[in-house]
Amino acid sequence: MDIQNTTQGTLLNKPNHIISLATSCVLVSVESHVWNATVQDKQISDEVTTAKKASSDSGKFVKNLLAKNPEHKAVLNYRQTIYNWVQRCTYDWAGSQRLLPIANLARFHTEFREHENKFYDLVQDFLDKYPAIVSNMAFVQGDMFDRNEYPDVSELRHRFSIDLIQSEVPTGDFRCAIAQDLLDDMAVHYNRQAKRMVEDILGKQTKQLVEIMQSISYCCEVETTVDDNGEIKVRRRKLYDSTLDRARELCETFKDFNLMQDPRLEEARARLEKLLDGVEIEKLRNSDTQRVVIKEGIDDILSKFGVSV
């Protein structure tokens, strides 16, 4: 971290870590909103606390207005799917803001549009069935049913949304007219914070690469069992296109996105990329020889990380 005096005042330069992040990444956040279909019923809460001879603020009763209706639950579950996807594709930054390598930006936008379309398809399916669902709730909820607690479809539609927000990683310098000792403290803190972020990213990258290699290594194994007649049965474990695609995707991303130029990460990435070059999933599924070659190669890479398979 450089602290310089200039004719325009004291200049606190950003650490190189941040400059590197700013040129290789963008900040993204995906905000999704859903109607949870829950409401607190004060009357029932008062009835319960009174019956239990407790004070009125001892508990509350929350009604599930849709009683876990499958169409509504599908929307809620898909919201979690989108959250998991964002976490998998990006790195920690600040709160809901996530760091996304520019190398993955085009694919991220494509996948977001696919998730967006799926999300709204599920919402529309729920809204189409909503009037019938509410009518059914009159029987399911019994005496707890209150039609006024259920919004109209036109209002409800606006309670479901999903948005992608994107911004640049900030790189502006601080120009401060403050005491030098305070400026020094800011510089140390800022550099430490930036360094920790980059180290966290490297840790996640290493974990991602190790986990995908462990998955491929495991799937390349064959299981040998002996049946009741003493015959040896050999079963190949299943291999999936998505696993190899994910491994190649990580290799491509980390080729351009290795902020600390970590030699272990680059060596593992390059070796895995070379090992999988030209490998076709169908041949790998059916060839015991190729399975052994791939597994031994991956296990050797994993050994560099101190990981035993």
Side-chain angles (χ1 to χ4, degrees):
M1 177 77 68
D2 296 323
I3 302 173
Q4 305 170 351
N5 290 322
T6 72
T7 56
Q8 295 177 312
T10 304
L11 172 62
L12 174 62
N13 289 332
K14 295 268 186 174
N16 290 332
H17 297 308
I18 291 296
I19 296 173
S20 179
L21 288 173
T23 56
S24 61
C25 302
V26 294
L27 297 180
V28 296
S29 63
V30 175
E31 297 185 359
S32 57
H33 301 278
V34 300
W35 180 50
N36 288 323
T38 58
V39 63
Q40 181 180 350
D41 192 309
K42 190 175 186 306
Q43 179 180 345
I44 297 178
S45 298
D46 290 342
E47 290 175 1
V48 173
T49 53
T50 299
K52 296 297 183 180
K53 299 179 181 180
S55 63
S56 59
D57 57 355
S58 296
K60 62 181 180 181
F61 184 85
V62 177
K63 292 198 302 189
N64 187 340
L65 297 179
L66 299 180
K68 295 185 177 181
N69 166 262
E71 286 79 19
H72 180 257
K73 189 175 180 181
V75 178
L76 299 183
N77 289 344
Y78 200 73
R79 182 193 191 191
Q80 183 63 42
T81 296
I82 294 172
Y83 173 84
N84 294 341
W85 164 72
V86 173
Q87 295 293 307
R88 186 173 64 253
C89 296
T90 59
Y91 300 88
D92 290 338
W93 181 256
S96 63
Q97 280 193 315
R98 307 283 299 175
L99 200 68
L100 173 69
I102 288 177
N104 293 346
L105 185 58
R107 182 171 65 248
F108 187 86
H109 279 197
T110 299
E111 292 179 357
F112 171 77
R113 286 191 293 271
E114 292 172 355
H115 283 301
E116 181 183 37
N117 291 336
K118 176 66 174 177
F119 175 81
Y120 283 119
D121 284 346
L122 291 171
V123 170
Q124 188 59 52
D125 181 53
F126 165 65
L127 294 177
D128 289 342
K129 299 175 180 177
Y130 179 68
I133 293 171
V134 174
S135 297
N136 184 56
M137 286 302 111
F139 299 98
V140 175
Q141 298 280 1
D143 292 341
M144 294 193 304
F145 179 77
D146 182 353
R147 183 63 182 81
N148 294 323
E149 294 174 333
Y150 294 83
D152 292 332
V153 172
S154 57
E155 176 189 346
L156 197 57
R157 187 180 303 276
H158 299 294
R159 299 197 186 185
F160 295 89
S161 65
I162 178 172
D163 297 290
L164 170 61
I165 301 170
Q166 181 178 316
S167 61
E168 297 179 347
V169 177
T171 58
D173 291 334
F174 289 106
R175 296 186 180 272
C176 310
I178 56 178
Q180 186 64 39
D181 56 348
L182 179 57
L183 183 59
D184 291 345
D185 288 342
M186 287 178 61
V188 171
H189 171 75
Y190 196 42
N191 196 28
R192 185 186 301 120
Q193 184 182 50
K195 186 173 183 293
R196 184 172 64 249
M197 285 179 177
V198 174
E199 289 174 345
D200 287 346
I201 290 171
L202 175 61
K204 180 173 180 178
Q205 288 179 301
T206 301
K207 181 180 179 183
Q208 288 174 319
L209 203 59
V210 166
E211 286 180 346
I212 199 68
M213 287 192 291
Q214 287 177 318
S215 178
I216 296 174
S217 174
Y218 174 81
C219 292
C220 281
E221 290 182 348
V222 295
E223 295 179 349
T224 303
T225 58
V226 179
D227 63 18
D228 295 338
N229 298 321
E231 294 183 12
I232 298 176
K233 301 289 185 180
V234 177
R235 185 179 70 86
R236 298 187 183 103
R237 288 177 177 161
K238 289 184 179 180
L239 283 159
Y240 299 93
D241 286 330
S242 57
T243 305
L244 288 187
D245 289 344
R246 176 61 174 162
R248 291 186 171 114
E249 175 188 313
L250 291 176
C251 288
E252 185 65 25
T253 298
F254 297 166
K255 180 188 298 184
D256 300 318
F257 188 62
N258 186 347
L259 294 173
M260 298 184 72
Q261 299 301 307
D262 184 73
R264 279 205 318 165
L265 181 65
E266 172 54 23
E267 180 186 359
R269 181 209 68 78
R271 290 184 59 187
L272 180 60
E273 182 179 55
K274 183 177 180 180
L275 187 64
L276 297 180
D277 184 37
V279 173
E280 298 177 7
I281 188 65
E282 285 302 324
K283 289 183 179 179
L284 185 58
R285 283 173 178 154
N286 299 317
S287 172
D288 291 337
T289 300
Q290 192 171 35
R291 281 173 174 259
V292 170
V293 170
I294 296 298
K295 175 174 172 53
E296 289 181 349
I298 285 179
D299 290 353
D300 186 58
I301 299 173
L302 287 171
S303 68
K304 307 302 182 189
F305 289 95
V307 177
S308 57
V309 182

